[in-house]
Amino acid sequence: MVCLGNICRSPLAHGIFEHLSKDFSITVDSAGTANYHAGNAPDPRSIKTAAAKGINIANQKARQFIAADFVAFDYIFVMDQENLNNVLKLAETESDRKKVRLLLGSDEVEDPYYGGDQGFEIVFDKIEKACKNIIESWNQ
Ligand code: 4NP
């Protein structure tokens, strides 16, 4: 799960996907295309929004997306078009490029960083719906 700072959207996506896929043996992780917040915990608003739904993301630590993530992961879900472009800049092969897609398919999870708490709830709901759809498609 990839966004810009790895403190607002992708930590939510990481926590939600991990929660929904706990019966599968898969590894879920998140990263940001920028390194501004590397080592930091998620934004308190993301932590609070997830906690209200019973998901603990407080122990996550931000890190930057690196080219090695193309080797480590089968799917790379990004939150918006800018993340998509930045991740694709690090892709080296067609197989790398094929792993990357917008989490919402054709829509974006907009950056809630400069807004209020409500933005985080909207982001949570959009991400949760998308994660449920992905897992459902894997179950078929
Ligand atoms: P995120 O949100 O990409 O969802 O983690 C942001 C967090 C921090 C900044 C921008 C977006 N920032 O500019 O510091």
Side-chain angles (χ1 to χ4, degrees), residues 3-9 36-37 111-114:
C3 63
L4 174 62
N6 192 208
I7 56 164
C8 296
R9 294 165 291 176
Y36 321 132
H37 298 281
D111 185 354
Y113 186 62
Y114 294 103

Side-chain angles (χ1 to χ4, degrees), residues 44-94:
R45 296 165 294 178
S46 284
I47 293 177
K48 192 173 105 184
T49 305
K53 308 273 187 170
I55 300 175
N56 177 18
I57 62 165
N59 300 321
Q60 291 183 24
K61 271 200 171 42
R63 69 170 179 90
Q64 190 168 23
F65 182 85
I66 52 172
D69 287 318
F70 284 111
V71 179
F73 296 96
D74 296 319
Y75 297 90
I76 298 163
F77 295 107
V78 300
M79 302 298 133
D80 64 31
Q81 194 63 45
E82 188 190 356
N83 309 149
L84 185 73
N85 296 340
N86 286 328
V87 166
L88 287 177
K89 277 182 203 158
L90 296 175
E92 286 171 0
T93 65
E94 189 52 27

